[in-house]
């Protein structure tokens, strides 16, 4: 397993504070955020949702139309497929925390812009600190490039765990990219099954 020592290595968990309260506080701050123009077009901020004590935190790109409507991550077609993928790892939605790089929907689902990523990702960093997961499962290029600070694409990185500070980063294809691509579906299934195997050993980092 390769190791990177910068960036996320600087994130240490909040000790003794309730992850649930910290996450609620982050969600409140995100709901009030007007730092970029995405706030103009949003119906809801989508801070993230799930188990504050999760061993596995999944990170996607940005909310889509359904997520913007409901204020929850991965509730559309890609979300339904993600629930299926979690099953291959022996996980349910209740076990994990799901967040995105951006907390607001980009218009017409365009790609996140570098300035938006820079302004929005302090929320994600704080969420990682609050939860202190063992695994950061980065879904697709945007999440993987942001977390690993790499220019390498997801095709070469998926399924290969990387130690980043006290977290194991586990890149996978974005579920939406695999809905109509059989080969990516096979890779996703294999990667989530392999994650499930890894989760059979006791967690390697204390909360
Ligand atoms: N795609 C994402 O990256 N995130 C969501 O929340 C939904 C779809």
């Amino acid at each position: 397993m390769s190791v990177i020592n910068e960036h996320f290595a600087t994130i240490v968990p909040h000790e003794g504070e309730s992850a649930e309260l910290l996450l609620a506080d982050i969600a409140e701050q995100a709901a009030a955020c007007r730092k970029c123009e995405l706030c103009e077009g949003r119906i809801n901020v989508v801070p993230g949702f799930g188990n504050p004590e999760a061993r596995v935190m999944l990170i996607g790109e940005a909310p889509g139309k359904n997520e913007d409507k409901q204020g929850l991550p991965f509730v559309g077609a890609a979300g339904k497929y993600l629930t299926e993928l979690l099953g291959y790892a022996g996980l349910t939605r209740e076990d994990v925390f799901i967040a995105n790089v951006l907390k607001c929907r980009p218009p017409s689902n365009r790609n996140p812009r570098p300035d938006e990523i820079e302004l929005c990702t302090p929320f994600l960093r704080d969420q990682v600190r609050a939860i202190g997961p063992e695994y950061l499962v980065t879904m697709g290029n945007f999440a993987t490039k942001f977390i690993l600070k790499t220019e390498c694409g997801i095709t070469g990185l998926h399924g290969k765990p990387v130690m980043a500070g006290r977290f194991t980063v586990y890149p996978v294809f974005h579920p939406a990219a695999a809905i109509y691509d059989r080969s990516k579906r096979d890779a996703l299934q294999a990667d989530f099954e392999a994650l499930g195997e890894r989760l059979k050993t006791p967690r390697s980092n204390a909360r």
Side-chain angles (χ1 to χ4, degrees):
M1 192 191 305
S2 59
V3 179
I4 57 167
N5 286 309
E6 296 159 39
H7 184 51
F8 266 65
T10 63
I11 297 189
V12 283
H14 286 275
E15 260 179 45
E17 285 173 275
S18 148
E20 194 174 355
L21 290 181
L22 288 164
L23 289 170
D25 189 40
I26 297 162
E28 207 174 297
Q29 288 173 42
C33 178
R34 304 199 63 81
K35 285 193 197 136
C36 80
E37 67 188 30
L38 297 184
C39 70
E40 310 290 346
R42 72 185 176 213
I43 299 171
N44 283 296
V45 174
V46 184
F49 188 78
N51 187 337
E53 318 270 306
R55 202 177 160 191
V56 177
M57 177 170 179
L58 297 113
I59 305 172
E61 183 177 314
K65 195 174 176 189
N66 292 299
E67 290 76 21
D68 181 43
K69 264 192 198 155
Q70 296 187 42
L72 292 168
F74 282 91
V75 288
K80 197 165 165 235
Y81 179 42
L82 177 59
T83 306
E84 184 186 325
L85 288 168
L86 288 172
Y88 293 125
L91 296 167
T92 67
R93 288 235 179 194
E94 286 70 41
D95 296 319
V96 301
F97 192 92
I98 306 175
N100 283 303
V101 171
L102 293 190
K103 307 304 187 199
C104 294
R105 181 190 180 207
S108 312
N109 298 340
R110 67 155 167 74
N111 287 339
R113 294 198 318 232
D115 58 319
E116 292 161 352
I117 293 175
E118 194 182 329
L119 289 166
C120 201
T121 43
F123 294 125
L124 180 63
R125 292 177 68 96
D126 284 348
Q127 288 174 316
V128 173
R129 278 190 84 189
I131 297 163
E134 180 181 12
Y135 284 96
L136 290 171
V137 176
T138 55
M139 299 183 284
N141 272 315
F142 278 94
T144 304
K145 287 183 176 182
F146 171 70
I147 299 285
L148 290 181
K149 290 283 173 262
T150 178
E151 280 314 307
C152 298
I154 189 68
T155 304
L157 295 174
H158 78 87
K160 296 177 190 151
V162 180
M163 282 306 295
R166 49 194 319 285
F167 310 106
T168 303
V169 181
Y170 191 76
V172 298
F173 283 116
H174 194 291
I179 286 176
Y180 301 108
D181 183 334
R182 184 74 243 175
S183 67
K184 288 199 177 88
R185 285 178 81 88
D186 291 346
L188 267 167
Q189 179 171 340
D191 289 348
F192 272 84
E193 282 170 353
L195 176 64
E197 286 304 313
R198 298 180 68 90
L199 290 170
K200 286 181 184 160
T201 57
R203 77 178 282 168
S204 59
N205 66 344
R207 282 196 73 242

